[in-house]
Amino acid sequence: MKIRNEMKLEFTALSENVGIARIVAATFAAQLDFTLNTLEEIKVAISEAVSNAVIHGYKNAGEGTVYMTLRLREAAVEIVIADEGCGIADVEEARQPAFSSDPERMGLGFVFMESFMDELEVNSELNRGTTVRMIKSLGSAQKAQ
């Protein structure tokens, strides 16, 4: 599918940057005719993916870089969030509801991402980082109305 527009953003792995990532992604996705509700769902998915990179990937150290790539296609937005943090030992286990490597966390990040997006792909390698790729289709958003 042809890419109509693309944006890449790099930012320090700080919790303060989660809100900025949300706004950038929603504004970018708004180039398609998504409803406000769908844009809010995209923002939640972005919050979860970026928060995972900050909290789990970089252990809240305030160091490291989060990479966000946004691609606008004819009828979908593709969002990739990547880090070079500690990685995930078992991606399938991490995607299970209520699983968290941090006992203070609920472990629902991947569950939210999966429920709000049409596609979710998670690739991770220990000590090399994690890449989360999400796609939201305009067609699925319109059917949900």
Side-chain angles (χ1 to χ4, degrees):
M1 211 182 309
K2 182 182 171 200
I3 296 173
R4 291 177 36 193
N5 195 1
E6 182 176 48
M7 175 185 286
K8 294 182 180 187
L9 182 65
E10 294 181 16
F11 49 91
T12 305
L14 295 168
S15 60
E16 296 86 3
N17 290 333
V18 173
I20 295 168
R22 285 170 50 99
I23 291 168
V24 168
T27 302
F28 188 86
Q31 294 175 73
L32 293 176
D33 196 22
F34 286 117
T35 65
L36 289 176
N37 186 55
T38 300
L39 291 173
E40 285 300 318
E41 291 176 347
I42 291 169
K43 285 166 49 175
V44 170
I46 294 297
S47 291
E48 295 298 334
V50 173
S51 292
N52 279 353
V54 171
I55 294 166
H56 301 290
Y58 293 116
K59 308 287 187 201
N60 255 337
E63 298 174 354
T65 303
V66 177
Y67 304 90
M68 183 166 74
T69 303
L70 305 161
R71 291 185 187 97
L72 196 66
R73 301 185 185 275
E74 284 303 313
V77 64
E78 175 186 4
I79 302 159
V80 178
I81 306 294
D83 67 63
E84 299 167 322
C86 66
I88 302 169
D90 185 337
V91 171
E92 289 309 311
E93 181 182 36
R95 290 181 71 161
Q96 297 305 307
F99 174 83
S100 179
S101 61
D102 181 345
E104 299 293 314
R105 304 268 168 211
M106 292 174 52
L108 296 173
F110 286 126
V111 173
F112 285 141
M113 285 182 248
E114 198 155 31
S115 69
F116 291 145
M117 303 301 278
D118 297 317
E119 294 180 36
L120 173 66
E121 181 181 309
V122 182
N123 294 299
S124 191
E125 191 175 333
L126 284 178
N127 302 314
R128 307 275 323 245
T130 301
T131 301
V132 175
R133 180 178 168 269
M134 302 177 281
I135 295 177
K136 185 65 175 179
S137 166
L138 187 57
S140 69
Q142 291 173 335
K143 289 177 191 171
Q145 293 178 17

